[in-house]
Amino acid sequence: MADKDISFLLALAQKADLHGTLASSTVQLAEELGVSQQTVSRKLQDLFDAGTIDKSITPNGVTITLTEKGKAQLRALYGELQQLFGKQLVLHGIVKDGFGEGKFYMSQEGYIKQFAGLLGFTPYHGTLNLAVDKYAAALFLSTKKQSYISGFQTKERTFGGLKCYPILIAKKTAGAVVVPDRTAHTLDTIELIAPIYLRDQLKLENGKEVVLS
Amino acid sequence: MADKDISFLLALAQKADLHGTLASSTVQLAEELGVSQQTVSRKLQDLFDAGTIDKSITPNGVTITLTEKGKAQLRALYGELQQLFGKQLVLHGIVKDGFGEGKFYMSQEGYIKQFAGLLGFTPYHGTLNLAVDKYAAALFLSTKKQSYISGFQTKERTFGGLKCYPILIAKKTAGAVVVPDRTAHTLDTIELIAPIYLRDQLKLENGKEVVLS
DNA sequence: ATTACTAGGTTCCGAGTAA
DNA sequence: TTTACTCGGAACCTAGTAA
């Protein structure tokens, strides 16, 4: 029965920030959620009766907090989805243009030496950029072993640290995903390194799909 | 509109394993989901019309596959929950008995030296076991910096590697969560190490609650 | 055995309105 | 201003049944 109102509960949780309280009104919530004020009023009562939220009515609105039971319900849903997506064993990405920074960074001795020690190969002096699904990428990488490459300094400038996840590229080539600590883009784009020049060896062009595992 | 049927879609995804197909029948699904055969039939049509599943009808049932759109919908929901729980900054745990193995492992020079180098303190020769929520623990740890302690060998036996996450115990003591590579329990229980004997110094007994941050 | 249409009952939503 | 009740109509579910 509470199964139906779970998306309503989720919406409240997003506004109330999981822990913490939400001071609002049924009118305002109705507007934000695209339903009537009456529906909000009724649903809040239902959730309260179900023990998933605490609410207190004041002359100028309602104040809402999620109960432990309410949080548990969302966490259960989260767990189910996690099980679903957690089994993600491969990641699909589309080859896209980098802007040459990869080449610059991968020419730095400070990085190359650490990569060689950690991965067992000397990386080619460039990176391959892949456009990926942000969530899928986060999940995929979370199942991989994470290594850390320390930052360092040269006379000219400072180079930051980066995370590094060994993976298999296109079921053929051992390589790694590299995520700089101070990364510009989110995980919409990931950078690959490998012992060879991937674009040539795997005959990749922009727009081609690559599978990581 | 498809927002209402998302739990139905999730149920299908769980049976079909996200990728992959589900061969079943409306009668069987109805039983498993606790609704009528007619409702299953109608909902499958709705989902098909919405483009979230592919279905093919055979004389002895239906075969169902999630479309990219369907997967994307679930992933979006997952992402929202991830944002909610990803902000998890503290983890609550209940002190429970270990079985002395912690003490044994934390007396091994091979581990102690690495911990000292990595964490900046020499750990007390024992661990504190906490009962925690499995999902909350996974989330909490995923936001912490992961370090790796290598396995090693002695004359007698082999010791496996373990992951290590620096954290703050009870808002006072710097310590770390330790997760052996070959762990017996899942994350229902986590092991803490610290430079001091936590049970005495923090006046902890079994059943007491501890906050990690 | 299937899926799925029709019909009737139940649930749910929202405009009006009381408090 | 609030919240929340009443009530008519829309949406939804299931039993019966056709294909």
Side-chain angles (χ1 to χ4, degrees):
Chain A
M1 61 171 204
D3 194 60
K4 248 278 313 267
D5 294 330
I6 194 123
S7 54
F8 196 87
L9 184 63
L10 173 58
L12 291 179
Q14 287 174 324
K15 294 184 189 305
D17 221 8
L18 199 56
H19 318 286
T21 63
L22 170 64
S24 186
S25 76
T26 54
V27 180
Q28 192 186 333
L29 285 172
E31 214 168 286
E32 292 170 3
L33 300 176
V35 292
S36 71
Q37 175 269 323
Q38 291 87 341
T39 296
V40 173
S41 173
R42 184 168 27 78
K43 291 225 155 177
L44 288 180
Q45 288 178 67
D46 291 348
L47 289 175
F48 180 75
D49 291 343
T52 52
I53 64 168
D54 281 337
K55 81 179 161 114
S56 75
I57 309 298
T58 69
N60 45 322
V62 283
T63 314
I64 299 161
T65 322
L66 268 74
T67 63
E68 278 308 315
K69 185 175 174 186
K71 291 179 208 166
Q73 249 169 48
L74 290 175
R75 196 153 46 213
L77 178 62
Y78 185 41
E80 287 178 36
L81 285 162
Q82 215 165 23
Q83 270 192 308
L84 251 189
F85 289 102
K87 290 174 186 163
Q88 192 115 14
L89 296 173
V90 301
L91 179 68
H92 299 260
I94 308 292
V95 177
K96 60 177 242 183
D97 256 329
F99 302 100
E101 331 107 1
K103 188 164 183 173
F104 174 61
Y105 289 113
M106 293 309 297
S107 302
Q108 300 297 321
E109 271 295 319
Y111 285 133
I112 295 175
K113 279 187 184 170
Q114 290 188 71
F115 276 126
L118 219 53
L119 301 171
F121 63 80
T122 303
Y124 174 81
H125 58 275
T127 64
L128 182 72
N129 285 33
L130 292 186
V132 294
D133 178 283
K134 181 165 60 178
Y135 299 126
L139 284 164
F140 175 74
L141 291 181
S142 72
T143 67
K144 301 293 161 250
K145 180 171 170 174
Q146 184 185 95
S147 303
Y148 194 74
I149 302 286
S150 316
F152 57 92
Q153 299 203 352
T154 64
K155 276 172 233 162
E156 289 84 18
R157 51 164 288 183
T158 301
F159 291 87
L162 36 91
K163 294 181 202 123
C164 165
Y165 307 82
I167 45 97
L168 191 66
I169 301 166
K171 299 184 185 177
K172 278 192 242 172
T173 311
V177 174
V178 166
V179 182
D181 283 348
R182 276 176 288 166
T183 187
H185 39 247
T186 51
L187 283 175
D188 291 325
T189 302
I190 59 172
E191 293 190 77
L192 293 183
I193 59 172
I196 58 172
Y197 183 47
L198 292 166
R199 273 183 191 261
D200 275 6
Q201 304 274 329
L202 299 181
K203 298 195 177 79
L204 298 174
E205 316 154 18
N206 287 353
K208 271 216 175 180
E209 183 170 334
V210 177
V211 178
L212 307 183
S213 47
Chain B
M1 61 169 204
D3 192 59
K4 249 278 317 264
D5 293 331
I6 194 123
S7 54
F8 196 87
L9 183 64
L10 172 58
L12 291 180
Q14 287 175 324
K15 296 184 188 306
D17 222 10
L18 199 57
H19 319 285
T21 63
L22 170 65
S24 186
S25 76
T26 54
V27 179
Q28 192 185 333
L29 284 172
E31 215 169 287
E32 292 170 1
L33 301 176
V35 292
S36 71
Q37 175 271 322
Q38 292 85 342
T39 295
V40 173
S41 174
R42 183 169 31 76
K43 291 224 154 179
L44 288 181
Q45 289 178 68
D46 291 347
L47 289 176
F48 180 76
D49 292 341
T52 51
I53 64 169
D54 282 337
K55 82 180 161 113
S56 75
I57 309 298
T58 69
N60 45 321
V62 284
T63 315
I64 297 162
T65 323
L66 268 73
T67 62
E68 279 309 315
K69 185 175 173 185
K71 291 179 207 166
Q73 247 169 49
L74 289 174
R75 197 153 44 212
L77 178 63
Y78 185 41
E80 287 179 33
L81 285 162
Q82 215 166 23
Q83 269 193 307
L84 249 191
F85 289 102
K87 290 176 187 163
Q88 193 117 12
L89 297 173
V90 301
L91 178 69
H92 299 259
I94 308 290
V95 176
K96 59 176 242 183
D97 256 330
F99 301 101
E101 331 106 2
K103 189 165 181 169
F104 174 62
Y105 289 113
M106 292 310 296
S107 302
Q108 300 297 322
E109 270 297 319
Y111 284 135
I112 294 176
K113 278 187 184 167
Q114 290 188 71
F115 276 125
L118 218 55
L119 301 171
F121 63 80
T122 303
Y124 174 82
H125 57 274
T127 63
L128 181 72
N129 285 35
L130 291 187
V132 294
D133 179 282
K134 181 165 61 178
Y135 298 125
L139 283 164
F140 175 74
L141 291 181
S142 73
T143 67
K144 301 290 161 253
K145 179 170 172 175
Q146 183 184 94
S147 303
Y148 194 74
I149 302 286
S150 315
F152 57 92
Q153 299 203 353
T154 65
K155 279 172 230 163
E156 289 84 18
R157 50 163 291 183
T158 301
F159 291 87
L162 37 91
K163 291 178 205 128
C164 165
Y165 308 82
I167 44 97
L168 190 66
I169 302 167
K171 298 184 185 175
K172 278 192 243 175
T173 310
V177 174
V178 167
V179 182
D181 281 349
R182 276 177 287 167
T183 187
H185 40 246
T186 52
L187 281 177
D188 290 325
T189 302
I190 60 172
E191 294 191 76
L192 294 183
I193 59 172
I196 58 173
Y197 182 45
L198 292 166
R199 271 182 193 263
D200 276 5
Q201 304 274 328
L202 299 181
K203 298 195 177 80
L204 299 173
E205 317 155 18
N206 287 353
K208 269 216 176 179
E209 183 170 335
V210 177
V211 179
L212 307 183
S213 46

